[in-house]
Amino acid sequence: QRSVVVHALKGLVTANTAIRDTDTLIFNLILCPGYPELMQNMVEFNTDRGLTAIVLGDTPFRLPDDATEIQAWANTQAAAGGPFRNTYLGLFYPSGLSNDLSGNQVAVPPSHMMLFTFLRNDQVAYPWFAAAGTRRGLIENATGIGYIDAESGEFQVAKPNLGQRDVLYTNFSNPLVYFTGNG
């Protein structure tokens, strides 16, 4: 089922001429939360539009907080021609835990959290300021960060340590971090 949805979404991004109309459509963020398979297509779409936006990308829900696993995933993506080294792509890790409209806790992709954070940043600072730090980068629409364990299917809290963050930075990914006392 997912492959059918991914195929349809890729078709919308690559073949839709209406969304390429730069005269009437103005936007500066491109994302498809929960579908890291579309990052390359979104980067190409942004290039077609004249690099007018930032693409917010996701890492997989089931990518554990292990430096070796993160590096292996990045190597696989790079070998497949992944868009990691694109100035207009912000790739984030890990996923988050948030509430749905009914109040149930659900796992959310990193771009879900970052969209809210970018919008909040634009309210408290200028749009060209980085959505980072405890003033402009606080993630307020999540109660935790982590990943979905591949075996149990349960959400596991993650606190990327310095070594894991270094692996993420080396692979052009932005770590989402929990700081005690700040969130």
Side-chain angles (χ1 to χ4, degrees):
Q1 183 179 15
R2 183 173 179 92
S3 63
V4 172
V5 172
V6 168
H7 180 73
L9 287 170
K10 284 185 175 197
L12 285 172
V13 173
T14 58
N16 188 333
T17 56
I19 62 174
R20 284 174 167 68
D21 180 4
T22 57
D23 291 333
T24 57
L25 294 178
I26 300 170
F27 51 86
N28 57 13
L29 290 174
I30 300 171
L31 62 148
C32 190
Y35 290 92
E37 303 95 331
L38 267 70
M39 281 190 296
Q40 184 69 42
N41 302 86
M42 292 186 295
V43 166
E44 290 169 2
F45 168 63
N46 189 41
T47 302
D48 292 348
R49 282 188 52 92
L51 302 172
T52 59
I54 297 294
V55 176
L56 300 181
D58 293 320
T59 50
F61 279 113
R62 296 184 189 279
L63 182 61
D65 69 336
D66 175 87
T68 304
E69 294 284 336
I70 293 168
Q71 184 65 55
W73 178 79
N75 289 342
T76 302
Q77 294 300 306
F84 293 123
R85 290 176 173 89
N86 188 286
T87 305
Y88 295 89
L89 171 67
L91 183 62
F92 300 91
Y93 175 83
S95 298
L97 192 61
S98 189
N99 294 324
D100 67 10
L101 296 176
S102 300
N104 302 312
Q105 284 198 320
V106 294
V108 295
S111 63
H112 165 86
M113 296 180 289
M114 292 314 298
L115 175 61
F116 184 88
T117 304
F118 271 58
L119 295 174
R120 184 181 172 283
N121 175 64
D122 289 358
Q123 290 178 342
V124 300
Y126 294 105
W128 54 84
F129 281 22
T134 57
R135 181 170 179 270
R136 295 186 312 274
L138 197 60
I139 299 170
E140 295 179 338
N141 62 332
T143 57
I145 56 173
Y147 63 96
I148 298 175
D149 183 69
E151 292 180 21
S152 69
E154 297 292 321
F155 187 84
Q156 301 295 316
V157 173
K159 295 182 179 179
N161 61 38
L162 183 58
Q164 293 163 338
R165 293 193 308 257
D166 287 344
V167 169
L168 288 163
Y169 288 133
T170 302
N171 290 287
F172 305 94
S173 301
N174 298 291
L176 305 179
V177 182
Y178 179 82
F179 290 112
T180 304
N182 290 317

